[in-house]
Amino acid sequence: MTFFPLLASESFGLNFNPLQTNLVNLAIVIGVLVWFLRGFLGGILERRRTAILQDLEDAEARLTKASEALSHAQSELADAQKKADRIRKDGKSRAEAIRADGEKKTISVMASIKQGASADADAEASRIRDALRRDAATAAIAKALSDLPGRLDTQAQSKLLDASIANLRDA
């Protein structure tokens, strides 16, 4: 039993005769295939190459548009950030001005309240002083009137009345 029957035969060797080896037929078939398929495969490959080039041009155009849109969006973002910063600064300055104005108004109101309270306290103190003076004068007059009849005799009363009338004429 032989595993390689071709190697076991005695006619093993190389044949260089082109007619017996079908090299001419193979050359003709390969040539015809190349000639017929060149147009067919060449057309397919050319269409494919054109489609790929068109896709690349479209991709480059889209890349260019996207780059332009990106740069435009970045400039708009930068403008928006500047505007936001400006608004933030204006808001802070307005808030500071409102706070300072509120403080001034509060201080003014507190000062007027203090002045009003002081004026009220002074008026109340003056009213109390006047009331105390009236009460003291009334008490002194009442005491003098109650003590006077026992202390004054007729002659002293007439001197007092004369002095009072003289004072009234001078005034």
Side-chain angles (χ1 to χ4, degrees):
M1 178 169 186
T2 60
F3 291 107
F4 299 110
L6 290 176
L7 291 177
S9 69
E10 295 176 10
S11 65
F12 179 73
L14 293 175
N15 186 0
F16 291 110
N17 185 358
L19 294 176
Q20 289 180 349
T21 59
N22 279 333
L23 285 177
V24 174
N25 290 339
L26 285 173
I28 291 172
V29 169
I30 290 173
V32 169
L33 282 176
V34 168
W35 185 68
F36 280 116
L37 292 178
R38 183 183 332 156
F40 177 70
L41 288 177
I44 291 174
L45 290 175
E46 183 61 29
R47 284 192 302 273
R48 182 66 184 145
R49 185 175 82 74
T50 304
I52 290 172
L53 288 176
Q54 184 63 38
D55 288 346
L56 286 175
E57 288 173 1
D58 290 345
E60 286 177 358
R62 286 193 311 267
L63 176 64
T64 303
K65 286 181 184 178
S67 297
E68 290 173 359
L70 176 64
S71 65
H72 182 69
Q74 286 174 339
S75 67
E76 286 180 352
L77 175 64
D79 291 343
Q81 286 176 338
K82 287 178 185 177
K83 196 174 197 178
D85 289 340
R86 194 172 340 115
I87 289 170
R88 193 176 303 117
K89 286 178 184 176
D90 289 346
K92 285 182 181 179
S93 65
R94 274 191 239 142
E96 183 64 30
I98 290 170
R99 185 188 61 77
D101 187 45
E103 287 176 356
K104 286 179 183 176
K105 286 181 181 178
T106 302
I107 290 170
S108 172
V109 167
M110 289 176 69
S112 66
I113 289 172
K114 184 176 178 183
Q115 287 175 349
S118 177
D120 288 347
D122 290 345
E124 185 66 19
S126 176
R127 186 189 66 77
I128 291 172
R129 264 184 272 143
D130 290 344
L132 288 175
R133 283 183 191 149
R134 267 192 314 259
D135 290 346
T138 304
I141 290 172
K143 186 175 180 185
L145 287 177
S146 66
D147 289 346
L148 204 60
R151 291 185 179 188
L152 286 179
D153 57 355
T154 336
Q155 187 180 7
Q157 275 183 347
S158 62
K159 278 185 186 181
L160 181 62
L161 283 172
D162 290 338
S164 293
I165 291 173
N167 282 337
L168 288 174
R169 284 184 193 157
D170 291 340

